[in-house]
Amino acid sequence: GAVVSQHPSRVICKSGTSVKIECRSLDFQATTMFWYRQFPKQSLMLMATSNEGSKATYEQGVEKDKFLINHASLTLSTLTVTSAHPEDSSFYICSAAMLSAQETQYFGPGTRLLVL
Amino acid sequence: SQKIEQNSEALNIQEGKTATLTCNYTNYSPAYLQWYRQDPGRGPVFLLLIRENEKEKRKERLKVTFDTTLKQSLFHITASQPADSATYLCVHSWGKLQFGAGTQVVVTP
């Protein structure tokens, strides 16, 4: 149980284009979903927290107009990187927490984004 | 500020031995700590959660301890196997999850 999927697993795009990443909780309802970014050999850094049906809460230094987050249902959250640039190239990972056990997050497999 | 520290050096260990990883925290007293495993190019996988009133917790070949006096958690992998090779993350929650940098474990046959 507690499976989280992400799609796509890998994406290469040209600078200036937008990229959408989907995060789904497959076998549970996730009241809260989180988006992280991880650069090589570094810790996961939280970008934003999203609750179903409400606006996401962004961490300091994360541009909300650049990283659009939508949490339309209890099983789906999307992250759109708008006008991507090479410095946005990173590993993006989502996670989901169950209502009954908010302490533990279940992570997706991650999406590798390369902006040329 | 609340801080979590793990040994940044990789731990090389022979198959069958016990790997022990350390997680130290400063400037606060977490109600619980969590340990995750992360393989290269993959998202973290939850392993164990230990609360401050629990001295020890086990799951198969994994054992976690929580010493609030030393402000430390130890993570043990007993009878280690090459498949245990990964980066292990100590995680605390201060409103949101805070990840340590992780310790890479390499188990050689």
Side-chain angles (χ1 to χ4, degrees):
Chain A
V3 178
V4 176
S5 70
Q6 268 183 255
H7 178 79
S9 58
R10 186 184 295 264
V11 58
I12 301 172
C13 68
K14 292 182 180 179
S15 185
T17 60
S18 293
V19 175
K20 181 187 277 189
I21 303 170
E22 287 189 353
C23 177
R24 293 181 185 271
S25 56
L26 298 184
D27 51 1
F28 67 100
Q29 291 187 325
T31 51
T32 308
M33 287 185 166
F34 306 84
W35 287 95
Y36 293 82
R37 182 168 49 183
Q38 187 176 32
F39 292 104
K41 298 194 184 299
Q42 293 188 23
S43 300
L44 275 75
M45 296 301 296
L46 180 65
M47 298 175 67
T49 302
S50 76
N51 291 295
E52 183 262 339
S54 61
K55 288 185 179 179
T57 303
Y58 289 82
E59 295 300 300
Q60 194 173 8
V62 178
E63 299 175 57
K64 62 180 181 181
D65 294 330
K66 180 169 184 63
F67 298 99
L68 301 178
I69 291 171
N70 183 281
H71 192 160
S73 76
L74 286 172
T75 59
L76 173 64
S77 176
T78 60
L79 168 69
T80 301
V81 183
T82 62
S83 187
H85 291 286
E87 59 266 29
D88 298 323
S89 299
S90 188
F91 191 49
Y92 292 87
I93 311 172
C94 74
S95 70
M98 298 180 190
L99 177 62
S100 58
Q102 293 266 319
E103 307 145 327
T104 298
Q105 293 177 23
Y106 297 93
F107 287 81
T111 297
R112 176 76 59 192
L113 172 62
L114 176 61
V115 185
L116 303 176
Chain B
S1 61
Q2 304 80 27
K3 200 174 176 182
I4 216 166
E5 291 179 340
Q6 290 185 256
N7 190 344
S8 59
E9 291 183 16
L11 178 64
N12 291 284
I13 193 162
Q14 196 173 11
E15 182 176 10
K17 303 289 186 185
T18 296
T20 298
L21 285 65
T22 304
C23 175
N24 296 301
Y25 56 92
T26 55
N27 297 331
Y28 78 116
S29 298
Y32 58 88
L33 286 170
Q34 303 186 65
W35 286 86
Y36 286 74
R37 166 185 174 144
Q38 187 175 24
D39 290 280
R42 306 290 294 175
V45 174
F46 170 72
L47 296 175
L48 285 164
L49 181 152
I50 185 165
R51 301 185 186 280
E52 60 179 342
N53 61 347
E54 296 174 317
K55 290 275 194 280
E56 180 182 297
K57 202 156 208 182
R58 293 175 184 261
K59 178 182 176 182
E60 297 172 355
R61 294 183 294 107
L62 308 178
K63 184 178 85 171
V64 172
T65 62
F66 195 169
D67 189 325
T68 54
T69 303
L70 294 177
K71 291 185 178 293
Q72 182 180 81
S73 175
L74 297 179
F75 178 84
H76 306 272
I77 308 172
T78 58
S80 58
Q81 304 169 0
D84 295 327
S85 299
T87 295
Y88 292 85
L89 308 169
C90 176
V91 181
H92 79 106
S93 176
W94 187 260
K96 55 195 174 189
L97 292 191
Q98 308 274 352
F99 287 83
T103 299
Q104 184 184 11
V105 173
V106 179
V107 182
T108 53

